[in-house]
Amino acid sequence: MAKPKVYITKEIPKEVEDYIGQFCDYEKWSGKEKISREELLDKLVDKEGVLLSALKIDKELLDHAKKLRVVSNVSVGYNNFDIEEMKAHNVIGTNTPEVLDNTVADLIFGLILSSARRISELDKYVKEGNWKPEDEKNLFGVDVHHSTIGIIGMGRIGEAVAKRAKLGFDMEVLYYNRNRKHDIENRLGVEYCDFEMLLQKSDFIVLMTPLTKDTYHYIDFEEFNMMKTTAVFINASRGETVNEKALIEALQNNNIFRAGLDVYELEPIDSQNLLLKLPNVITLPHIGSAVEKTRSDMAMVAAKNLVKAVLGETPPNIVPELKG
Ligand code: DGY
């Protein structure tokens, strides 16, 4: 019997490609640039499955790719899926949870420490030859240990951040989530907190909520105004969960102490974006899961989801909204 046809849109490790090749007849994108929309539409005409990340799956694509049965994301986030259209077209969507939790949590802690103690800012200060003993007091940061962290979105990555905060840094951990997580409260001693109270009480605010139509600009002018002027705000989820204009205003007016960002409303960030001109924000290029082993594990999870689905079995990581 002929193998199902699938398309791979990004570079993946050889062993992952070989795994897909055992079960599928695959074609892959080999261009240096990201695949264009036109090329993708063209390639998907005769494919039953596609492995990708961050490419929009919408009505136009689904109408075009008539044989498509599965979109396998190499990411835990799936805001690139138009869930309603995928339901209407009977297309499964999968993601890669768990394998990246600790890697992303490590990066979030890097942003917390680096923002609090101004590590990247002061590294630049030294390298640019500005170090003067009389500056001593201007180099102060804020403590992370024994402070209060507020985590918005207590999923698996939120829990991994909470664990580091509680066990490593003796922090008081508050969290806000749609549903209370009694198991995590019992396991780690974290405290459920009302959303506004969390914004008001936290020294570090970590936004971990996925991007949906309900969380678009979840943190806006009003929310930044509720934060302490000494607060550090971290976003490593998706850029559009924050109104960047409100964040820029908060940073320009020193209404918060620092921000540490891995994600933006537009990626790659526009070179004119004011965030790039401000000294009190760290700007990373969406590297939450960017560790070779983690990316390789994510690719293998995505490959297994893809293969199961095109073989007519139920893949393990169908996104919750498309289950059942
Ligand atoms: C994800 O998997 O959604 C992350 O943003 C990748 O870094």
Side-chain angles (χ1 to χ4, degrees):
M1 213 170 74
K3 290 177 179 175
K5 289 187 175 183
V6 300
Y7 194 69
I8 302 170
T9 65
K10 55 184 291 163
E11 210 178 308
I12 52 172
K14 170 91 173 56
E15 81 252 27
V16 179
E17 205 176 305
D18 290 347
Y19 171 80
I20 294 174
Q22 282 175 44
F23 304 95
C24 307
D25 174 9
Y26 72 90
E27 242 188 283
K28 65 172 183 178
W29 174 246
S30 54
K32 276 207 172 64
E33 313 264 290
K34 185 172 124 180
I35 188 168
S36 71
R37 174 81 175 178
E38 295 66 39
E39 192 86 34
L40 179 66
L41 291 185
D42 185 48
K43 292 292 182 191
L44 292 189
V45 166
D46 60 345
K47 304 295 186 299
E48 291 181 51
V50 60
L51 185 133
L52 51 76
S53 45
L55 300 171
K56 274 224 162 322
I57 305 303
D58 55 12
K59 181 170 174 5
E60 182 199 28
L61 181 143
L62 294 164
D63 282 346
H64 197 84
K66 296 227 178 312
K67 298 196 168 160
L68 198 64
R69 295 160 63 184
V70 59
V71 180
S72 175
N73 258 7
V74 191
S75 66
V76 68
Y78 51 91
N79 51 295
N80 56 320
F81 290 173
D82 183 329
I83 296 287
E84 291 314 313
E85 286 299 332
M86 287 173 79
K87 276 186 194 161
H89 288 78
N90 215 6
V91 170
I92 294 172
T94 60
N95 67 345
T96 61
E98 292 168 30
V99 287
L100 76 177
D101 297 349
N102 283 311
T103 302
V104 178
D106 282 354
L107 184 85
I108 290 171
F109 246 87
L111 283 171
I112 290 174
L113 290 168
S114 199
S115 304
R117 299 300 301 274
R118 303 166 56 190
I119 294 173
S120 50
E121 175 193 344
L122 296 180
D123 168 64
K124 189 160 169 246
Y125 160 87
V126 173
K127 285 186 178 142
E128 289 178 354
N130 297 320
W131 189 5
K132 296 183 272 327
E134 59 273 27
D135 272 354
E136 198 179 311
K137 273 202 153 169
N138 297 333
L139 309 183
F140 287 180
V142 295
D143 267 333
V144 175
H145 70 86
H146 296 94
S147 63
T148 299
I149 185 171
I151 301 173
I152 302 169
M154 187 52 90
R156 280 176 305 266
I157 300 175
E159 182 178 352
V161 172
K163 195 168 165 189
R164 284 158 176 74
K166 193 82 192 172
L167 305 179
F169 291 84
D170 287 313
M171 295 168 93
E172 185 184 348
V173 182
L174 309 176
Y175 80 97
Y176 174 76
N177 198 60
R178 265 180 317 175
N179 318 308
R180 256 184 95 158
K181 298 283 183 88
H182 293 284
D183 53 333
I184 303 179
E185 288 176 31
N186 295 336
R187 214 167 30 246
L188 289 176
V190 303
E191 200 183 311
Y192 181 79
C193 186
D194 160 71
F195 181 60
E196 294 187 2
M197 186 80 86
L198 179 148
L199 297 176
Q200 288 160 4
K201 282 180 66 175
S202 300
D203 301 306
F204 296 88
I205 295 162
V206 177
L207 185 61
M208 282 316 309
T209 183
L211 174 65
T212 64
K213 53 183 185 317
D214 298 328
T215 61
Y216 178 77
H217 284 189
Y218 202 50
I219 304 294
D220 213 322
F221 288 95
E222 201 184 334
E223 286 71 29
F224 282 113
N225 283 334
M226 283 185 222
M227 296 178 193
K228 295 181 184 181
T229 51
T230 50
V232 171
F233 174 74
I234 306 291
N235 188 10
S237 61
R238 286 292 181 269
E240 291 119 301
T241 53
V242 176
N243 181 349
E244 254 169 36
K245 288 199 175 68
L247 171 60
I248 289 167
E249 188 183 284
L251 289 165
Q252 279 175 327
N253 298 339
N254 295 312
N255 288 343
I256 59 173
F257 177 63
R258 289 288 183 281
L261 307 176
D262 190 36
V263 291
Y264 309 88
E265 291 208 52
L266 174 71
E267 294 182 10
I269 193 167
D270 188 291
S271 62
Q272 297 309 308
N273 190 317
L274 281 179
L275 285 170
L276 303 181
K277 314 269 181 301
L278 297 173
N280 49 353
V281 54
I282 296 172
T283 49
L284 296 181
H286 201 149
I287 52 163
S289 62
V291 166
E292 196 171 336
K293 174 166 187 326
T294 302
R295 284 283 170 85
S296 165
D297 290 348
M298 289 165 72
M300 190 50 108
V301 170
K304 289 188 172 163
N305 286 328
L306 177 83
V307 166
K308 280 244 183 236
V310 293
L311 293 182
E313 295 167 35
T314 306
N317 305 116
I318 302 182
V319 302
E321 294 85 340
L322 292 171
K323 267 190 188 144

